[in-house]
Amino acid sequence: MTALMIVIPGNPGLASANRSRRYAVHGGRAMSYQSAESKTWRAIADEAFREAIRKAQDVNVYFRPYAPIEVHVKSWWPRWSKKYQQPLGDVDNPDKQVNDAIKRSGLINDDVLVAKMVMEKGYDKHNPRIEVTVVQGDACDE
């Protein structure tokens, strides 16, 4: 079994697919573009993945790009909901963006290879982040 842990600093809400695209009309034509906050989050995520992969390769840990993986995501949110008594944020907000970051990193060839995804959320006012664990091995190959 091969495993890799990645920590993406910052508010998990910025990883939301809902925030990734913006729409406008210019000269009578509808246009879609990537939002500035999405570009910033992607750059931070891509650097976190590059660093984690570099460290893993230093100890001879490699992924097979055409083999299935499991992804475990824990998002640590900076706000607390008094009404619901839990962290304020949708647990599934970062799922699509995290899978896209895994693909961009080169760990896998296509995010269709994500066979299982586990999502959790927690509260950390002073250190919001997304912790991603990618696992590839016997359990994923069945």
Side-chain angles (χ1 to χ4, degrees):
M1 176 170 50
T2 305
L4 183 67
M5 167 76 157
I6 302 96
V7 177
I8 304 167
N11 187 337
L14 298 178
S16 172
N18 297 335
R19 294 176 180 236
S20 66
R21 305 297 301 166
R22 294 287 186 246
Y23 304 94
V25 177
H26 293 286
R29 302 188 96 182
M31 300 182 73
S32 167
Y33 61 95
Q34 186 179 9
S35 69
E37 61 190 8
S38 177
K39 285 180 184 177
T40 300
W41 185 88
R42 283 177 65 152
I44 292 168
D46 290 349
E47 179 56 32
F49 270 90
R50 276 193 297 276
E51 181 63 25
I53 291 169
R54 195 170 24 252
K55 287 179 181 178
Q57 289 173 344
D58 286 347
V59 292
N60 294 322
V61 174
Y62 295 93
F63 278 74
R64 300 182 320 267
Y66 293 96
I69 62 170
E70 290 183 8
V71 180
H72 300 259
V73 179
K74 182 149 188 187
S75 51
W76 294 91
W77 295 83
R79 295 180 57 211
W80 184 259
S81 170
K82 290 180 183 175
K83 180 178 180 179
Y84 298 112
Q85 292 299 302
Q86 66 174 355
L88 187 59
D90 292 347
V91 71
D92 64 343
N93 254 0
D95 64 347
K96 177 76 173 131
Q97 295 284 22
V98 166
N99 284 343
D100 289 346
I102 292 169
K103 181 184 178 297
R104 283 193 313 274
S105 75
L107 285 178
I108 56 174
N109 187 52
D110 193 328
D111 57 1
V112 72
L113 292 166
V114 176
K116 179 179 180 180
M117 190 162 198
V118 177
M119 310 279 307
E120 295 180 76
K121 68 179 180 177
Y123 171 70
D124 190 337
K125 180 179 182 176
H126 301 291
N127 186 22
R129 65 197 178 279
I130 300 172
E131 296 174 353
V132 182
T133 304
V134 181
V135 179
Q136 188 175 68
D138 299 335
C140 300
D141 294 335
E142 295 175 359

